[in-house]
Each structure stands twice: as structure tokens, then as C-alpha cells.
Amino acid sequence: MNKRHEHHLVMERELRKAIEEEQFLVYYQPQVDLNTEQIIGVEALIRWRHPQRGMISPADFIPVSEECGLINSIGEWVLRRTCEDMKSWQLSGFAPLKVSVNLSLRQLQEGALFNKISNILAQNGIAGSRLELELTESVMMDNHAVMLNFMKQCKDLGIHFSIDDFGTGYSSLSYLMKLPLLDKLKIDRSFIQELSGNNDASILVSAMVNMAKSLRLEVIAEGVETQEQLNYLRHCGCDSVQGFYFSPPVSYGELTRLLAQEVLSA
Ligand code: C2E
Ligand code: CA
Ligand code: CA
């Protein structure tokens, strides 16, 4: 217990320093349309380049930043950096991309989140329709009233919403009906990794795609690593995919190169 507490305190102190010294980076992972195989969007994923310890995974520091409240500043920084990068791609003449940004529960509880988002979009001249917010099932349902109000405000700006890690949270699906402003389901990586032959995962993935379609939601699969997984998702009618098969998350410069390559090959 004490060791864990100590580790937290050290990390919290280091995270404060990281915010001040801008030790963070945003990487972008392409999301590819299954019909055209073109990049239609990217997910923004934070990285921490620690001066001594090198790259630290968000899985290690996001939970700590959520617990101590630093996620509010970190999340705002991610949004700002992402919108600045979108503005640069826009100025370079690339076709407008949609960017998905992950949100934590703490950020929603803060209250001022909508104003922050709308200011950052306006300051960078980015249309709300190019931003997608990713939330998990539990975040969406934990404060349903607050969430619904936030979604309504965002919808007025054209912002999209996607359920992250779909299939891993609630056992009851009735919440989907309580969130009429939802746009997309993102099927969790754990199902995609298990896909093979006619197994349970294949049946579940196909059912999730069908359910999304019936609810008029878009559906994306994450963690796609192999051609077999891709073929199966295409067969099911999934709209788009994200995963190492096409590209891992990459830096701003690397994504710019990928976008330029696509323009050349079009
Ligand atoms: P996530 O939102 O589920 O993000 C997808 C994770 O899957 C990313 O890990 C990505 O690198 C990884 N991934 C993508 N394709 C593949 C694949 O084909 N195979 C495998 N094995 N993995 C793949 P990453 O970047 O380490 O992020 C971990 C988690 O940290 C994210 O999970 C998200 O929950 C959180 N996170 C990252 N950036 C942010 C942020 O800016 N804000 C918040 N609140 N959370 C963030
Ligand atoms: Ca995500
Ligand atoms: Ca996910």
C-alpha cells in the first residue's frame, strides 16, 4: 500500500513538471475506411517523453493523472495540440481529417469542458464536425444527466461521439437508447484479437456490427493486426478499422508523410 502510494506521489510530482515543461507528445493512429482503404480520420494518443525514463505509456500515467486531477490540464493540452496540428494539415492543403480525442470522466465532471473545447476549436479555425470525442460505456452512463447535457451542447457545434472499448463495460445494452446523440461504436480490441474461424468472438463481432447498423450507428474496429481480421470485418459490413495492420500511432511528421503518400497515390 505504502509503496503504491509513494509511487503515485512521485509520479504526480513528475507529471506536474511534465505539464510545465511540455514533455508530452500527441501521436496519431490512422482510421481507415474499409471500402476505399483511405485514411478518413485519426485517433489522438498521448505520449510522455520522460527526460530520464524515456517514453512512458499512457496506460501507466493516465490513471494516476485521473486520480490526482491533473487529467484536466493534460486533456486540455491534448485537445489544443491536436487542433493546432489539424490547423497545420489544413494549411498544407490536406483533405479535412476527423480527429478522435479520448475523454476521461474527471474532465466531464469539471463543468467548464464544453467552453474549453469550443474556444480551442474557434482559436484554430477547426469546424466542430471534424472532432470526435471517445468515451467509454461507463463514463457515458455514470452521470447520465450531465453527459446528455454536454452532448447536446457539443452537438450544436457538430461534434461527434463514439463509445470506446465497446463490449467490455455494461452488461445491459439499454443505455444505448438513452444516448440518442451517439454516432459510433468502437468494437474493443479484445474481440478482434480473438477472431478465428467460427468462434464466439466472430459471432459477437458480427452481432455488434449488425446491432450498430440497426441503430444507425457507425462502427469501427480497433486493434486490427492481420489480413484475416480485416477480411472478416469487411465481410460483416464494418465501416472502418484502426490497428497495427495499417499503422501504429505515429508522430505528427510521420502522419504528414502518410497523408502526402496517399495524395500521390490517389
Ligand atoms: P485506447 O483509447 O483504447 O487506445 C487504443 C490503444 O490501442 C492505444 O494504446 C494504441 O496504441 C493501441 N493499439 C492500436 N492499434 C493496436 C493494435 O493493432 N494492436 C495492439 N495490441 N494495440 C493497438 P496507447 O496509445 O498505449 O493508449 C492506451 C490508453 O491510454 C488508451 O486506450 C486510452 O484509454 C488512454 N489514452 C491515450 N491518450 C489519451 C488521452 O489523450 N486522454 C485520455 N483520457 N486517455 C488517453
Ligand atoms: Ca480510444
Ligand atoms: Ca479503445
Side-chain angles (χ1 to χ4, degrees):
M1 254 327 251
N2 273 341
K3 263 225 144 80
R4 203 175 146 248
H5 185 63
E6 208 178 288
H7 172 73
H8 254 210
L9 285 178
V10 171
M11 190 174 266
E12 185 179 335
R13 195 169 347 109
E14 294 199 313
L15 278 170
R16 286 187 196 281
K17 196 158 168 233
I19 295 170
E20 272 167 33
E21 298 182 357
E22 287 217 33
Q23 294 170 6
F24 298 113
L25 299 166
V26 177
Y27 270 34
Y28 298 97
Q29 184 173 35
Q31 299 176 331
V32 176
D33 182 293
L34 267 182
N35 287 315
T36 62
E37 296 215 351
Q38 295 273 313
I39 300 174
I40 46 163
V42 292
E43 177 175 3
L45 293 158
I46 193 171
R47 297 287 177 267
W48 179 8
R49 192 160 48 195
H50 190 282
Q52 281 85 41
R53 288 192 279 141
M55 286 290 200
I56 302 179
S57 156
D60 293 327
F61 71 85
I62 290 288
V64 179
S65 72
E66 284 171 342
E67 265 178 55
C68 64
L70 287 173
I71 188 66
N72 291 329
S73 338
I74 295 175
E76 188 179 343
W77 181 86
V78 169
L79 263 167
R80 193 175 299 280
R81 169 44 47 85
T82 300
C83 287
E84 286 166 3
D85 288 350
M86 287 168 91
K87 185 179 170 187
S88 305
W89 286 316
Q90 190 162 291
L91 289 172
S92 307
F94 292 118
L97 274 184
K98 202 146 112 200
V99 181
S100 311
V101 173
N102 293 285
L103 281 191
S104 296
L105 181 61
R106 268 307 262 273
Q107 290 174 271
L108 279 159
Q109 291 167 335
E110 199 195 12
L113 183 63
F114 173 73
N115 289 338
K116 281 186 182 166
I117 295 176
S118 85
N119 285 338
I120 294 173
L121 286 170
Q123 281 158 8
N124 290 286
I126 302 293
S129 56
R130 293 181 50 207
L131 180 66
E132 179 170 270
L133 299 174
E134 288 195 6
L135 295 130
T136 59
E137 296 160 64
S138 57
V139 170
M140 289 213 175
M141 285 319 289
D142 276 357
N143 346 23
H144 183 245
V146 176
M147 186 64 218
L148 210 54
N149 186 41
F150 172 71
M151 284 175 101
K152 278 187 187 137
Q153 289 180 303
C154 288
K155 278 285 143 176
D156 289 339
L157 289 184
I159 296 172
H160 303 259
F161 283 91
S162 154
I163 297 195
D164 203 357
D165 307 338
F166 183 72
T168 62
Y170 275 70
S171 52
S172 154
L173 291 173
S174 59
Y175 74 90
L176 285 174
M177 287 181 283
K178 297 187 183 136
L179 295 167
L181 303 172
L182 196 65
D183 302 282
K184 199 190 263 185
L185 299 187
K186 194 171 206 185
I187 301 177
D188 188 65
R189 183 166 86 218
S190 57
F191 298 100
I192 309 305
Q193 266 159 358
E194 295 283 310
L195 284 180
S196 95
N198 219 358
N199 67 356
D200 289 352
S202 315
I203 295 164
L204 281 173
V205 165
S206 151
M208 285 191 257
V209 173
N210 287 331
M211 186 189 67
K213 300 265 148 176
S214 314
L215 293 169
R216 294 196 177 78
L217 296 171
E218 258 185 78
V219 57
I220 181 167
E222 69 179 345
V224 176
E225 295 182 359
T226 68
Q227 177 78 54
E228 289 70 40
Q229 292 164 350
L230 190 75
N231 291 345
Y232 184 72
L233 289 160
R234 191 176 269 133
H235 162 81
C236 290
C238 187
D239 300 303
S240 52
V241 294
Q242 185 183 333
F244 296 164
Y245 180 77
F246 282 107
S247 168
V250 294
S251 67
Y252 169 85
E254 186 59 32
L255 188 76
T256 308
R257 275 189 287 280
L258 287 178
L259 293 174
Q261 250 173 33
E262 220 173 47
V263 173
L264 285 176
S265 63

PDB file of all heavy atoms in Angstrom, residues 43 45 102 134 164-165 186 222, ligand 2:
ATOM      1  N   GLU A  43      -6.897   8.800 -34.497  1.00  0.00           N
ATOM      2  CA  GLU A  43      -7.123   8.926 -33.054  1.00  0.00           C
ATOM      3  C   GLU A  43      -5.889   9.563 -32.440  1.00  0.00           C
ATOM      4  O   GLU A  43      -4.763   9.135 -32.708  1.00  0.00           O
ATOM      5  CB  GLU A  43      -7.374   7.561 -32.396  1.00  0.00           C
ATOM      6  CG  GLU A  43      -7.546   7.696 -30.870  1.00  0.00           C
ATOM      7  CD  GLU A  43      -7.916   6.389 -30.156  1.00  0.00           C
ATOM      8  OE1 GLU A  43      -7.991   5.333 -30.796  1.00  0.00           O
ATOM      9  OE2 GLU A  43      -8.122   6.475 -28.924  1.00  0.00           O
ATOM     10  N   LEU A  45      -3.416  10.065 -29.511  1.00  0.00           N
ATOM     11  CA  LEU A  45      -2.997   9.274 -28.346  1.00  0.00           C
ATOM     12  C   LEU A  45      -1.769   9.927 -27.718  1.00  0.00           C
ATOM     13  O   LEU A  45      -0.753  10.129 -28.392  1.00  0.00           O
ATOM     14  CB  LEU A  45      -2.696   7.833 -28.772  1.00  0.00           C
ATOM     15  CG  LEU A  45      -3.932   7.048 -29.230  1.00  0.00           C
ATOM     16  CD1 LEU A  45      -3.552   5.878 -30.126  1.00  0.00           C
ATOM     17  CD2 LEU A  45      -4.738   6.558 -28.016  1.00  0.00           C
ATOM     18  N   ASN A 102      -9.667  11.156 -26.799  1.00  0.00           N
ATOM     19  CA  ASN A 102     -10.201  10.421 -25.641  1.00  0.00           C
ATOM     20  C   ASN A 102     -10.524  11.375 -24.499  1.00  0.00           C
ATOM     21  O   ASN A 102      -9.747  12.281 -24.202  1.00  0.00           O
ATOM     22  CB  ASN A 102      -9.159   9.410 -25.152  1.00  0.00           C
ATOM     23  CG  ASN A 102      -8.926   8.312 -26.161  1.00  0.00           C
ATOM     24  OD1 ASN A 102      -9.745   7.410 -26.320  1.00  0.00           O
ATOM     25  ND2 ASN A 102      -7.823   8.395 -26.891  1.00  0.00           N
ATOM     26  N   GLU A 134     -14.174  10.400 -27.773  1.00  0.00           N
ATOM     27  CA  GLU A 134     -14.303   8.980 -27.428  1.00  0.00           C
ATOM     28  C   GLU A 134     -14.491   8.846 -25.928  1.00  0.00           C
ATOM     29  O   GLU A 134     -13.669   9.333 -25.152  1.00  0.00           O
ATOM     30  CB  GLU A 134     -13.033   8.206 -27.827  1.00  0.00           C
ATOM     31  CG  GLU A 134     -12.892   8.040 -29.311  1.00  0.00           C
ATOM     32  CD  GLU A 134     -11.854   6.978 -29.698  1.00  0.00           C
ATOM     33  OE1 GLU A 134     -11.311   6.282 -28.821  1.00  0.00           O
ATOM     34  OE2 GLU A 134     -11.615   6.855 -30.906  1.00  0.00           O
ATOM     35  N   ASP A 164     -15.975   4.092 -26.823  1.00  0.00           N
ATOM     36  CA  ASP A 164     -14.696   3.391 -26.881  1.00  0.00           C
ATOM     37  C   ASP A 164     -14.810   2.043 -26.165  1.00  0.00           C
ATOM     38  O   ASP A 164     -15.653   1.876 -25.287  1.00  0.00           O
ATOM     39  CB  ASP A 164     -13.655   4.267 -26.165  1.00  0.00           C
ATOM     40  CG  ASP A 164     -12.242   3.979 -26.613  1.00  0.00           C
ATOM     41  OD1 ASP A 164     -12.054   3.065 -27.432  1.00  0.00           O
ATOM     42  OD2 ASP A 164     -11.330   4.676 -26.147  1.00  0.00           O
ATOM     43  N   ASP A 165     -13.958   1.094 -26.524  1.00  0.00           N
ATOM     44  CA  ASP A 165     -13.870  -0.212 -25.858  1.00  0.00           C
ATOM     45  C   ASP A 165     -15.238  -0.890 -25.796  1.00  0.00           C
ATOM     46  O   ASP A 165     -15.572  -1.556 -24.801  1.00  0.00           O
ATOM     47  CB  ASP A 165     -13.328  -0.079 -24.416  1.00  0.00           C
ATOM     48  CG  ASP A 165     -12.009   0.679 -24.353  1.00  0.00           C
ATOM     49  OD1 ASP A 165     -11.315   0.722 -25.382  1.00  0.00           O
ATOM     50  OD2 ASP A 165     -11.686   1.217 -23.283  1.00  0.00           O
ATOM     51  N   LYS A 186     -17.109   1.709 -31.142  1.00  0.00           N
ATOM     52  CA  LYS A 186     -15.758   1.238 -31.447  1.00  0.00           C
ATOM     53  C   LYS A 186     -15.583  -0.115 -30.772  1.00  0.00           C
ATOM     54  O   LYS A 186     -15.482  -0.193 -29.545  1.00  0.00           O
ATOM     55  CB  LYS A 186     -14.761   2.256 -30.903  1.00  0.00           C
ATOM     56  CG  LYS A 186     -13.388   2.069 -31.421  1.00  0.00           C
ATOM     57  CD  LYS A 186     -12.524   3.241 -30.996  1.00  0.00           C
ATOM     58  CE  LYS A 186     -11.397   3.431 -31.958  1.00  0.00           C
ATOM     59  NZ  LYS A 186     -10.479   4.485 -31.526  1.00  0.00           N
ATOM     60  N   GLU A 222     -11.164  -1.724 -33.481  1.00  0.00           N
ATOM     61  CA  GLU A 222      -9.803  -1.311 -33.115  1.00  0.00           C
ATOM     62  C   GLU A 222      -8.915  -2.525 -32.874  1.00  0.00           C
ATOM     63  O   GLU A 222      -9.398  -3.620 -32.619  1.00  0.00           O
ATOM     64  CB  GLU A 222      -9.803  -0.363 -31.909  1.00  0.00           C
ATOM     65  CG  GLU A 222     -10.199  -0.971 -30.597  1.00  0.00           C
ATOM     66  CD  GLU A 222     -10.138   0.055 -29.453  1.00  0.00           C
ATOM     67  OE1 GLU A 222      -9.550   1.128 -29.601  1.00  0.00           O
ATOM     68  OE2 GLU A 222     -10.707  -0.259 -28.393  1.00  0.00           O
TER      69      GLU A 222
HETATM   70 CA    CA B   2      -9.757   5.463 -27.594  1.00  0.00          CA
END
